[in-house]
Amino acid sequence: MELDRTDFRILSLLQDNGKCSYSEIARNIHVSEGTVRGRIKKMLSHDVFEFIIHTNPNKIGYHVQAIIGLEAKVGYHDEIASQLQPYRAVRFIGAFSGKHDLIIQAYFRNNEELVTFVDQQLSEIEGIISVDVNVELKQYKDTFSYVD
Amino acid sequence: MELDRTDFRILSLLQDNGKCSYSEIARNIHVSEGTVRGRIKKMLSHDVFEFIIHTNPNKIGYHVQAIIGLEAKVGYHDEIASQLQPYRAVRFIGAFSGKHDLIIQAYFRNNEELVTFVDQQLSEIEGIISVDVNVELKQYKDTFSYVD
DNA sequence: TATGAAAGTTGCTCCTT
DNA sequence: AAGGAGCAACTTTCATA
């Protein structure tokens, strides 16, 4: 799907405020409200973006965030990923080139929950060679606005 | 701020669909539309969550995602973070305990842009001892729904 | 919690390319 | 055809009581 300048202008406004109305966007970029609606509908159907909310983990009781690098046996990536998938705590799973084969990002209520996850859940998964846990001490930036 | 069951139910519905209307939420959890609106207003004012859109980086031309671990000289964390902050490409910056002092997540249009970022931008920042670049090969999960 | 005016959304048709 | 504008019925929002 090809995105033109109008599409990008729409995305740009929405990323600043996901509650921005069609007509508000229309006024801003000087097209009709129907056009905005049509473009958004099309982009949504092509999975260009989605309307979501970003919940502050700390405010809902998840005080420990970790980025965990995993070394995996060759051929085990998909299997490990699919076993990690169901965990609510795990918000991101990716396969990478570099020091770590898989990197996951996860939220926990406290340190104990993190330890339990590593020692019990992770250790039970076959194919994991090593686990490199990094616990977040301070967050400097966490944005979702990367449309120009 | 204390969140009760109603607040969590609201968050739960919104995280599945950020465009869910007040009245639709109200019908679902059997409270009045005004109540839903009031709760949301209160939560927004307390930064419990925000309405955003999540754009699929690939669909807008960002085909290379990297997680970069940085080793930093003692006392340089804040300074390095504040220098990285302005970069559009950099969507996440955090200080961590573990192998890496700082971990960043960034999007690039192509490999060349990544190389330029590491070789030119990163190398100019004082206090960075080492850089560990991990390039994403495959994404298994990337969710923002971690409210029960 | 209820009400009603104002604003927003939706599906339709018509027009232009 | 495809996309944008305009219209009218309907729904949602939000201040006020």
Side-chain angles (χ1 to χ4, degrees):
Chain A
M1 186 203 172
E2 256 336 292
L3 298 174
D4 65 12
R5 194 139 304 155
T6 303
D7 295 316
F8 276 108
R9 286 207 197 101
I10 293 171
L11 289 174
S12 180
L13 288 168
L14 280 175
Q15 79 181 177
D16 291 334
N17 173 19
K19 269 242 134 176
C20 205
S21 74
Y22 297 156
S23 32
E24 203 178 332
I25 296 170
R27 278 194 297 276
N28 263 282
I29 65 176
H30 308 294
V31 296
S32 78
E33 179 270 335
T35 300
V36 173
R37 187 150 37 87
R39 298 302 190 101
I40 287 178
K41 192 174 175 184
K42 193 174 160 193
M43 288 194 279
L44 288 174
S45 77
H46 285 80
D47 294 315
V48 172
F49 78 97
E50 54 182 345
F51 287 100
I52 60 165
I53 61 167
H54 180 220
T55 309
N56 184 333
N58 283 299
K59 305 270 175 158
I60 58 165
Y62 292 92
H63 300 291
V64 177
Q65 184 181 158
I67 291 181
I68 304 175
L70 303 174
E71 201 186 337
K73 279 193 201 160
V74 179
Y76 274 80
H77 290 58
D78 286 4
E79 178 56 23
I80 294 171
S82 72
Q83 288 200 48
L84 290 170
Q85 197 101 26
Y87 290 108
R88 255 299 151 105
V90 180
R91 72 147 289 269
F92 175 88
I93 309 171
F96 285 80
S97 81
K99 281 218 182 77
H100 304 291
D101 300 316
L102 291 166
I103 298 178
I104 68 176
Q105 189 179 2
Y107 296 121
F108 304 94
R109 293 189 187 282
N110 47 50
N111 288 321
E112 199 185 321
E113 245 190 52
L114 164 60
V115 173
T116 304
F117 176 74
V118 174
D119 281 359
Q120 292 177 23
Q121 269 91 62
L122 280 189
S123 70
E124 281 204 354
I125 298 176
E126 205 191 320
I128 295 179
I129 299 169
S130 72
V131 175
D132 173 24
V133 179
N134 297 274
V135 177
E136 186 180 273
L137 302 174
K138 184 172 178 177
Q139 194 168 89
Y140 292 100
K141 186 175 182 178
D142 190 18
T143 181
F144 300 92
S145 306
Y146 35 84
V147 177
D148 284 309
Chain B
M1 185 200 174
E2 254 339 289
L3 299 173
D4 66 12
R5 195 140 301 156
T6 302
D7 296 317
F8 275 108
R9 285 207 198 101
I10 293 171
L11 289 175
S12 181
L13 288 168
L14 279 176
Q15 78 182 177
D16 291 334
N17 174 18
K19 271 243 132 173
C20 207
S21 71
Y22 296 157
S23 33
E24 202 178 332
I25 296 171
R27 278 192 298 274
N28 262 283
I29 64 176
H30 307 295
V31 298
S32 76
E33 178 267 337
T35 301
V36 173
R37 189 149 37 84
R39 298 302 189 100
I40 288 178
K41 191 175 174 183
K42 192 173 161 196
M43 288 194 279
L44 287 174
S45 77
H46 285 79
D47 294 315
V48 172
F49 77 97
E50 54 181 346
F51 288 100
I52 60 164
I53 62 168
H54 181 218
T55 308
N56 184 333
N58 283 298
K59 305 272 176 158
I60 57 164
Y62 292 92
H63 301 291
V64 177
Q65 184 181 157
I67 291 182
I68 303 174
L70 303 174
E71 200 185 336
K73 278 192 200 162
V74 180
Y76 275 80
H77 289 59
D78 285 4
E79 177 56 24
I80 294 171
S82 72
Q83 287 200 47
L84 289 170
Q85 196 100 27
Y87 289 108
R88 254 295 150 104
V90 180
R91 73 146 290 267
F92 174 87
I93 309 170
F96 285 79
S97 80
K99 282 218 183 77
H100 303 291
D101 300 316
L102 290 166
I103 297 178
I104 68 176
Q105 189 179 4
Y107 296 120
F108 305 95
R109 293 189 187 282
N110 47 50
N111 288 320
E112 199 185 321
E113 244 190 53
L114 164 60
V115 173
T116 304
F117 176 74
V118 174
D119 282 359
Q120 293 177 24
Q121 267 91 63
L122 280 189
S123 70
E124 280 204 355
I125 298 176
E126 206 190 320
I128 296 180
I129 299 169
S130 72
V131 175
D132 173 24
V133 180
N134 296 275
V135 178
E136 186 181 270
L137 302 174
K138 185 172 177 177
Q139 194 167 91
Y140 292 99
K141 186 176 183 179
D142 190 19
T143 181
F144 300 92
S145 306
Y146 35 83
V147 177
D148 283 311

